[in-house]
Amino acid sequence: MFTSVLMIEKPLTSTDVEFVTTLHGDESISFIVLMQPRGDQADLLLRAIDDVAMGELKEAVREGDVPEGEEARKPAELALEHSLTALRAAGCESVGQVVEDHPLNKMKSVVEESGADEVIVLTAPHYVEEFFHRDWASRARHKVGVPVLKLFAHSE
């Protein structure tokens, strides 16, 4: 069975589920989902700049209203459970956890412990971080020891 570590920051949409579950054709896939709640790892200013770059001015104004830290924990747990349920409904084995520590360190340890074959980072575009190669996928490529695929999440 092919094992993928899937890093997400919001619940998977049905399009996301179809996308990640069909990447390897008919091969059986097991997912280890890491849900990174908003907080210390996501800078408010960078998120607002990304919103402006994407033409989402209303979102940029609301960035300060988004729960962070401990307030983001419960929504992250619900998003993770929703995503795991959707992956299982698509016929894939899936387990997961909300990331408490630095996401790259957690990703590396999960890859090592599970013997994962790849990492998939499925997030909204983060233009500023991506431009400077400071996004999770760019940084993970130098840290985890397996192929890292960067995909953009879909909206429903």
Side-chain angles (χ1 to χ4, degrees), residues 100-117:
E100 299 280 346
D101 301 318
H102 194 281
L104 294 175
N105 292 338
K106 181 52 130 179
M107 190 185 301
K108 180 179 179 172
S109 67
V110 167
V111 166
E112 290 171 351
E113 292 167 11
S114 67
D117 299 292

Side-chain angles (χ1 to χ4, degrees), residues 130-144:
E130 290 167 19
F131 179 79
F132 291 106
H133 304 285
R134 301 302 303 154
D135 59 298
W136 292 334
S138 296
R139 292 167 46 199
R141 286 185 180 104
H142 304 287
K143 189 164 186 142
V144 297

Side-chain angles (χ1 to χ4, degrees), residues 11-152:
L12 295 176
T13 65
S14 58
T15 304
D16 293 331
V17 171
E18 182 179 352
F19 197 33
V20 298
T21 59
T22 59
L23 283 172
H24 300 288
D26 293 334
E27 188 167 0
S28 296
I29 304 174
S30 170
F31 288 98
I32 303 169
V33 182
L34 301 177
M35 175 69 195
Q36 172 63 48
R38 296 183 84 146
D40 296 336
Q41 302 305 321
D43 182 80
L44 178 65
L45 178 60
L46 291 178
R47 291 193 317 251
I49 291 171
D50 283 338
D51 290 337
V52 171
M54 293 174 54
E56 297 175 355
L57 298 176
K58 290 181 182 177
E59 291 298 320
V61 172
R62 286 188 231 140
E63 282 296 344
D65 298 336
V66 176
E68 296 193 9
E70 280 301 311
E71 290 179 24
R73 175 79 185 177
K74 187 66 174 169
E77 289 171 351
L78 293 172
L80 175 63
E81 192 54 44
H82 166 83
S83 299
L84 294 175
T85 300
L87 289 168
R88 290 175 189 142
C92 298
E93 291 183 17
S94 62
V95 296
Q97 59 185 286
V98 174
V99 177
E100 299 280 346
D101 301 318
H102 194 281
L104 294 175
N105 292 338
K106 181 52 130 179
M107 190 185 301
K108 180 179 179 172
S109 67
V110 167
V111 166
E112 290 171 351
E113 292 167 11
S114 67
D117 299 292
E118 71 179 357
V119 169
I120 300 171
V121 177
L122 183 73
T123 64
H126 298 290
Y127 296 115
V128 176
E129 291 175 340
E130 290 167 19
F131 179 79
F132 291 106
H133 304 285
R134 301 302 303 154
D135 59 298
W136 292 334
S138 296
R139 292 167 46 199
R141 286 185 180 104
H142 304 287
K143 189 164 186 142
V144 297
V146 297
V148 177
L149 180 60
K150 166 71 175 172
L151 300 174
F152 292 121

